[in-house]
Amino acid sequence: MRIQKIELKNWRNFRSANVEIKADVIYLVGPNASGKSNFLDALRFLRDIAKPIGGGLQTALNERGGFSKVRCLHARGAGKKKGSTNLEITVSLSDGPDTWTYHLAILPRSSKSRPLVAKEIVKHNEEVLVDRPYDHEVDDEDQLAVTYLEQAAQNKEFRELSRYFSQITYVHLVPQLVKFGERISGHLLPDDPFGQAFMKRIADTANKTREARLKKISKALHEIVPGLEALQFIVDKEGRPHIEMRYQTHRPLPARQLEDQLSDGTLRLIALLWLLQEDHSAPLLLEEPELSLNEEIVRQLHRLFYKVGKRDNQVFVTTHSYALLSNEGIPSSSIFTIIPGVEGSRIEPPTEPERIAIQNGIPPGDVVLARGEQFALDI
């Protein structure tokens, strides 16, 4: 199953956004605070609603500080038309010849009342499976406080869609947490977005699969990391899992380093390449993968996404890195620019002149980043 279209209304930075997706790797570019992360958070929001354990609409809203924190500031009190200030998310998907659409609208309420479902529509091949609220729900706030997406008793006909949303993966790797995750006491965040349990993730992988992935990472890194011989998974005397990197030196035996001795950039790259090889039946959301990496390595990330990653994976990437976007192999269909404005941000694909420029070999960074920066200066 793959996302084909995302529509947002009154969601965080976006008063209105409509994005048609035609590529496997999507780059969201734009200046700081324009809404790149908030766009990804719309997909995370659906994931948090659909999660079978600890999920649900009210939980997803509360984890974000409540309804007022996720509704676009420009929507407050704007217009008297019914539904004009509702928060809405619509996702259209395809699964081979099959199509799905999920639409959720949330009704704003007073600070002392729970937000309610104003509309929930599920379509499969244009057949309407759900069209809420139903007559018997109109005066029942307890029913409208939850979505069908989160209820196993109600989503039987579209459980495939609910399961898909629940499996969306969001990652913003923090190398220090990856290095010392086993030694840091404290609460592990749900879904481990920052990589604190990354070593355990590797340890829990079947031996054959783990070895194959590390071998593929070693091969990819061989061109980038001087002297790299191999990556190996080991367990120390205390039972803690480690990644061991072996280097060729002038000595007969290779030099060895564990993950806590690696540079932040090298470890972040290893973790990134591992994640790209995992089976993601739903999108992988990556925040600024270029952080901590040498600029020359960043220039190769797009190639690595395809060389190392699984072809069935759909990846959404936020970035404002010129080096990352300087790869001439990035098609114009992969790039969306988020442009801030006084009435909220908007998200746009390359213009026709920009598309032609990219097709003619001008690096995408030269084409699209200048536009985003210009709008940032105007604001």
Side-chain angles (χ1 to χ4, degrees), residues 170-190:
Y170 169 81
V171 181
H172 194 351
L173 288 166
V174 178
Q176 296 304 316
L177 287 179
V178 177
K179 288 181 180 182
F180 305 112
E182 288 284 324
R183 306 177 196 179
I184 298 174
S185 60
H187 178 64
L188 179 66
L189 293 177

Side-chain angles (χ1 to χ4, degrees), residues 64-77:
R64 289 162 172 80
F67 182 85
S68 64
K69 300 296 185 181
V70 296
R71 186 176 58 165
C72 182
L73 291 173
H74 303 284
R76 297 178 183 178

Side-chain angles (χ1 to χ4, degrees), residues 114-348:
R114 294 174 296 179
L116 302 181
V117 174
K119 202 72 176 175
E120 186 178 23
I121 299 173
V122 182
K123 294 181 181 179
H124 181 221
N125 294 331
E126 296 305 315
E127 177 187 356
V128 178
L129 304 180
V130 174
D131 189 357
R132 301 179 66 202
Y134 296 110
D135 291 341
H136 66 275
E137 298 179 305
V138 171
D139 297 319
D140 191 335
E141 291 191 2
D142 287 336
Q143 290 194 60
L144 291 180
V146 295
T147 64
Y148 275 18
L149 185 69
E150 68 201 72
Q151 300 179 72
Q154 303 289 357
N155 65 24
K156 184 177 181 180
E157 288 187 286
F158 64 98
R159 195 164 296 159
E160 178 183 355
L161 188 60
S162 178
R163 187 176 296 113
Y164 174 87
F165 285 138
S166 72
Q167 292 174 348
I168 289 173
T169 302
Y170 169 81
V171 181
H172 194 351
L173 288 166
V174 178
Q176 296 304 316
L177 287 179
V178 177
K179 288 181 180 182
F180 305 112
E182 288 284 324
R183 306 177 196 179
I184 298 174
S185 60
H187 178 64
L188 179 66
L189 293 177
D191 306 302
D192 188 31
F194 305 119
Q196 185 177 346
F198 182 75
M199 298 310 301
K200 184 178 184 302
R201 191 182 194 123
I202 295 177
D204 290 343
T205 304
N207 289 340
K208 189 175 181 180
T209 301
R210 182 171 58 227
E211 290 176 6
R213 288 179 182 172
L214 291 176
K215 184 177 181 180
K216 197 169 185 179
I217 294 173
S218 298
K219 187 176 180 180
L221 291 180
H222 189 72
E223 308 170 19
I224 299 172
V225 181
L228 173 66
E229 184 176 282
L231 290 176
Q232 185 175 351
F233 173 80
I234 65 170
V235 178
D236 65 20
K237 294 179 181 180
E238 286 75 34
R240 292 194 296 259
H242 296 282
I243 289 290
E244 181 183 74
M245 180 176 280
R246 297 183 177 184
Y247 296 91
Q248 296 172 344
T249 66
H250 64 280
R251 297 181 178 181
L253 296 178
R256 303 165 185 247
Q257 286 186 329
L258 299 182
E259 73 281 347
D260 59 357
Q261 298 170 290
L262 301 178
S263 70
D264 287 355
T266 299
L267 184 57
R268 205 167 197 271
L269 185 57
I270 290 171
L272 178 63
L273 296 180
W274 176 278
L275 289 167
L276 289 168
Q277 291 184 81
E278 290 185 336
D279 294 313
H280 298 285
S281 57
L284 172 62
L285 313 179
L286 296 177
E287 288 268 24
E288 299 182 347
E290 70 271 11
L291 294 179
S292 305
L293 296 179
N294 178 279
E295 191 170 274
E296 290 307 312
I297 294 177
V298 174
R299 293 180 190 278
Q300 301 184 54
L301 283 182
H302 179 75
R303 177 180 63 84
L304 292 175
F305 286 157
Y306 282 93
K307 183 176 181 179
V308 177
K310 289 182 173 291
R311 292 186 179 181
D312 292 337
N313 289 352
Q314 198 170 26
V315 184
F316 290 75
V317 182
T318 67
T319 185
H320 45 70
S321 167
Y322 172 81
L324 176 53
L325 296 172
S326 67
N327 190 306
E328 295 179 11
I330 300 177
S332 60
S333 60
S334 285
I335 302 172
F336 290 91
T337 302
I338 298 180
I339 302 170
V342 294
E343 291 297 324
S345 295
R346 63 184 190 273
I347 181 167
E348 298 180 352

